[in-house]
Amino acid sequence: MSAQLWVSVVQIGCFFGMVALGYYLVLEGADLFNFALGPFAMFSGLSASWLMAEHGWPLGLAAVLGIVIAAALAVLTEVALVRPIDARTDGGELPSLIAVVAVLFAVEQLAGTLFGRQLRPGRSWLPDTSLDLGPATVDGQTLILIGCTIVSFTGVWLWTRRSKYGRILRAVGGNREAARTLGMPVGRVRLVAFALAGLIVGLAGQLFSAKAGVSFQSGFGWALSGFLALVIGGTGSVWAPLVGGLLLALAQTLVPYYLGSASLDYAVLAIAILFFALRPNGLFVRKVRV
């Protein structure tokens, strides 16, 4: 495989990892797989592209607004939907899961209605920048994506260890009922987890759509890729989603290269089945606290 393909693996893997990090935060804070995170990322990138193309907004302002919208959608999902359902069902997981899946499709259709149903091109944040690494060239947008991925994961890693809410998030992830019994602000931690997840996937959507483009249908694929990255990496470490994202990107790059693009969907399905059957907790498993 050529060196340039390895650059693509890193680029795609960083994006998958950032979406998976959003899943990780919500799973730790609310014990829920928020499949709507993919559409939130899509809505962020698509809204910014539409504002720039149709209304002449500057890149920076459109990008910031898109990220804020993604965070607002995540918070609204928690406050207006997941939390009330959780309260009425006494913490039942299935009703909340069904609700966020409904949000997934609702946000996709809303984006298609507001911004159109065609693929919209992105705009590079650093169009005239590239880095030559021997046989491979890394363009400016990929450099920004890698940098923002490192900053995001490092920031969350530090936050979970040094901030009050970050430490509570880890406690909630270990045992939510025990944390509530001890008087920890579980509700506020859930809200922070949803908001942070929205910000991170909103940023990811901006960075990836700037290079690959985005349509209203991108959200479902992004949601599935982020989920699989988390399944592969596990939840034993903040960095596990990034490892899972890179491995998933490697598989998605190698399979078409060696077996043809028609084999890609089957290969991804096989990977998912193997991990669910043989390694359901992912590569990195949380250590049991005693």
Side-chain angles (χ1 to χ4, degrees), residues 251-267:
Q252 290 196 359
T253 303
L254 287 177
V255 169
Y257 184 77
Y258 288 108
L259 301 178
S261 58
S263 304
L264 179 58
D265 290 340
Y266 298 104

Side-chain angles (χ1 to χ4, degrees), residues 4-25:
Q4 199 62 46
L5 281 179
W6 284 106
V7 174
S8 297
V9 169
V10 173
Q11 171 198 321
I12 298 170
C14 284
F15 172 66
F16 289 168
M18 289 184 73
V19 178
L21 181 60
Y23 274 98
Y24 172 87
L25 287 167

Side-chain angles (χ1 to χ4, degrees), residues 225-236:
S225 296
F227 172 69
L228 289 177
L230 184 67
V231 168
I232 293 171
T235 59

Side-chain angles (χ1 to χ4, degrees), residues 58-157:
L59 172 61
L61 183 59
V64 169
L65 181 60
I67 295 170
V68 170
I69 290 174
L73 287 171
V75 170
L76 184 63
T77 300
E78 156 65 0
V79 173
L81 198 62
V82 175
R83 186 174 297 187
I85 291 175
D86 192 55
R88 287 197 298 269
T89 60
D90 195 26
E93 295 180 12
L94 184 58
S96 296
L97 184 61
I98 293 173
V100 297
V101 171
V103 171
L104 183 158
F105 292 108
V107 171
E108 279 202 336
Q109 293 306 312
L110 177 62
T113 301
L114 292 177
F115 309 125
R117 298 180 180 273
Q118 73 275 17
L119 178 69
R120 286 191 172 273
R123 185 184 300 176
S124 176
W125 292 17
L126 289 176
D128 300 320
T129 303
S130 63
L131 178 64
D132 291 326
L133 298 174
T137 300
V138 185
D139 61 79
Q141 191 62 35
T142 300
L143 291 172
I144 293 178
L145 176 57
I146 294 172
C148 288
T149 300
I150 295 172
V151 170
S152 297
F153 274 89
T154 303
V156 171
W157 180 73

